[in-house]
Amino acid sequence: MQQSGLTRSPWSRQDEIRRELETALINGQLTPGMAIDEQALCARFGTSRTPVREALLLLAAKGLVDIVPRTGIYVRRLGVRELVAMMEGLSELEGVLARLAASRCTDDARARMSDALAQTADCARQDDRLGYAQANAVLHELIYQTSGNDFMVEQTRLARLRIAPYRGQLFEKPGRLARSHAEHVAVISAICAGQPETAAEAMRAHILAGGQAFTDVVLSASAPAAEPKPRRRQRASDMRLA
């Protein structure tokens, strides 16, 4: 029988740390090549080194961080070929989910996706990059839920997480918000009309267009995609994780 007031296990602490680091990746607080200081994380979360190290090992297994012996731990920096390959894979995953959503769409799902689409339209008109990124996430999440395929959704979320550190720069590309919204219109229109193959093709085109923008981001980066060099360690006060 469980008793209240007991100290949380290292495993629950590990999951908490992992989730917060993943949120920081999604929000752009941790960027490609950034050094991660284990001691700062221990101080921030008030825990020993073990759950911090276990959380970082899980992130490394997902391809989100690089652990370089005798050098440090860094947010994974993707090369151009690797990024292109990920976007090609993501386009197929998202295409499948769009096709399933078109086959299983309900009146309630149509209404919610239409509302989310209107939100992306407002953000695109106002050139609100942060708002658009948030509305974009909501819209894709609605498609995932409508697809009814939890396994495919899990794989898609992992793929999106791996490219998350680059997403903050994606919508800075001139004209990308308007083009992205137009692509969303094509996807949602096909889903709501119950046209599976049209929805899948529109979604693949949407993701691949974003992939080209991602590639441009990587090519324009000043730092090479080679093994990271030691950088100034982040202090616990610098992290500001959500």
Side-chain angles (χ1 to χ4, degrees):
M1 181 175 179
Q2 292 185 342
Q3 300 178 13
S4 60
L6 292 179
T7 303
R8 285 176 292 184
S9 71
W11 290 109
S12 63
R13 205 68 170 126
Q14 163 200 308
D15 289 339
E16 178 185 350
I17 296 167
R18 174 186 55 77
R19 286 194 300 268
E20 291 212 26
L21 288 173
E22 288 180 353
T23 298
L25 287 167
I26 293 170
N27 293 341
Q29 295 166 299
L30 293 175
T31 57
M34 179 180 286
I36 299 176
D37 190 336
E38 286 186 81
Q39 292 183 347
L41 289 176
C42 291
R44 172 175 175 76
F45 291 100
T47 188
S48 66
R49 183 173 177 270
T50 297
V52 169
R53 169 53 62 133
E54 293 292 341
L56 291 170
L57 286 172
L58 283 174
L59 294 180
K62 290 183 176 182
L64 301 175
V65 302
D66 286 324
I67 300 177
V68 185
R70 298 182 298 279
T71 301
I73 303 171
Y74 303 87
V75 178
R76 181 79 179 273
R77 191 193 299 277
L78 300 176
V80 175
R81 291 184 63 182
E82 187 175 19
L83 183 55
V84 169
M86 286 185 185
M87 294 306 297
E88 288 177 346
L90 181 61
S91 72
E92 295 300 322
L93 290 169
E94 295 261 9
V96 170
L97 293 178
R99 184 173 67 246
L100 292 173
S103 300
R104 300 169 178 174
C105 197
T106 63
D107 289 340
D108 179 63
R110 290 186 185 92
R112 287 186 292 151
M113 282 190 277
S114 295
D115 289 343
L117 189 63
Q119 185 63 38
T120 65
D122 288 341
C123 293
R125 280 194 296 269
Q126 298 169 21
D127 198 30
D128 178 1
R129 295 178 178 87
L130 178 59
Y132 189 90
Q134 294 171 341
N136 175 74
V138 170
L139 184 60
H140 280 265
E141 186 62 32
L142 287 172
I143 296 172
Y144 300 167
Q145 293 172 7
T146 305
S147 76
N149 190 311
D150 292 341
F151 174 77
M152 292 295 295
V153 169
E154 181 182 0
Q155 301 306 308
T156 304
R157 285 175 176 156
L158 177 57
R160 278 192 168 270
L161 185 58
R162 292 191 66 182
I163 61 176
Y166 292 88
R167 296 196 66 82
Q169 304 172 59
L170 173 60
F171 296 125
E172 294 177 6
K173 193 173 177 62
R176 181 56 196 154
L177 292 188
R179 289 193 296 273
S180 177
H181 174 66
E183 293 156 10
H184 281 155
V185 170
V187 173
I188 300 304
S189 296
I191 290 176
C192 291
Q195 300 172 338
E197 295 308 320
T198 302
E201 182 57 36
M203 179 60 88
R204 283 194 293 267
H206 168 54
I207 299 299
L208 289 175
Q212 182 58 56
F214 272 123
T215 301
D216 293 343
V217 167
V218 175
L219 289 174
S220 63
S222 57
E227 181 176 296
K229 296 180 180 180
R231 298 177 55 176
R232 182 182 67 84
R233 291 288 187 176
Q234 289 270 316
R235 298 190 301 273
S237 59
D238 293 335
M239 296 295 291
R240 293 192 180 91
L241 300 181

